[in-house]
Amino acid sequence: MNELSKITAEHLRRCAIVYVRQSSTTQVEHNRESTARQYELAERAARLGWRRDQVKIIDEDLGISGSGLSERIGFARMTAEVGLGQVGIVLGLEVSRLARNNADWYRLLDLCGLTHTLIGDGDGIYHPGLFNDRLVLGLNRLVT
């Protein structure tokens, strides 16, 4: 299945979320190219068909570790919006940046599958409700 064929009119009626994060303030300060590439995903959302006013950038978790010791407000907000069926696609630089532990990752995958929310990164667009995409997303998370 072509990745663009996964995007439906229903997806485009909802917002696109770009989740921007890096694990430490040192990474934010010294890896500015990565931060810039993450913000550029808003342009990718536009190229995929979302209007610019539909693209939300969630960057409250920049510099916050995903170790579980710090609350990630942005991740919680993104997950809530996905669960409410308000999101057509979640974009991250690579899907492994979306969640830093398996419990959060699989909860997000389940919610995306239930609400028909796509997940996109530099390698492709995935629908967690489709068996093959879920397999790729699951294996990707296990090896990163």
Side-chain angles (χ1 to χ4, degrees):
M1 176 180 264
N2 176 320
E3 72 176 16
L4 294 179
S5 68
K6 294 176 188 175
I7 302 171
T8 66
E10 176 61 28
H11 292 120
L12 295 172
R13 277 192 283 278
R14 302 187 230 162
C15 75
I17 287 184
V18 174
Y19 183 64
V20 179
R21 74 171 300 276
Q22 287 176 295
S23 296
S24 70
T25 53
T26 302
Q27 285 182 339
V28 174
E29 292 170 9
H30 297 290
N31 296 331
R32 293 174 194 242
E33 318 81 42
S34 175
T35 306
R37 287 178 52 220
Q38 291 181 66
Y39 282 110
E40 288 169 7
L41 289 170
E43 294 301 318
R44 180 162 189 227
R47 287 192 306 273
L48 291 171
W50 276 267
R51 294 185 326 268
R52 295 188 193 284
D53 66 326
Q54 291 177 287
V55 179
K56 295 182 181 182
I57 296 176
I58 296 181
D59 58 4
E60 296 101 292
D61 298 338
L62 268 174
I64 297 175
S65 171
S67 67
L69 301 175
S70 300
E71 185 177 355
R72 290 184 300 141
I73 295 168
F75 187 84
R77 181 165 65 103
M78 174 183 65
T79 303
E81 290 189 33
V82 167
L84 291 170
Q86 299 172 347
V87 181
I89 191 168
V90 173
L91 292 167
L93 193 57
E94 53 193 46
V95 292
S96 66
R97 289 186 184 269
L98 295 177
R100 284 297 192 210
N101 64 60
N102 285 337
D104 287 348
W105 174 243
Y106 286 110
R107 189 174 309 112
L108 179 62
L109 278 182
D110 287 342
L111 285 171
C112 286
L114 289 170
T115 60
H116 301 287
T117 301
L118 302 172
I119 295 178
D121 67 8
D123 293 326
I125 295 173
Y126 312 97
H127 189 311
L130 299 175
F131 177 78
N132 286 338
D133 284 3
R134 188 165 178 97
L135 183 62
V136 169
L137 290 167
L139 289 175
N140 183 299
R141 182 63 190 137
L142 293 174
V143 297
T144 58

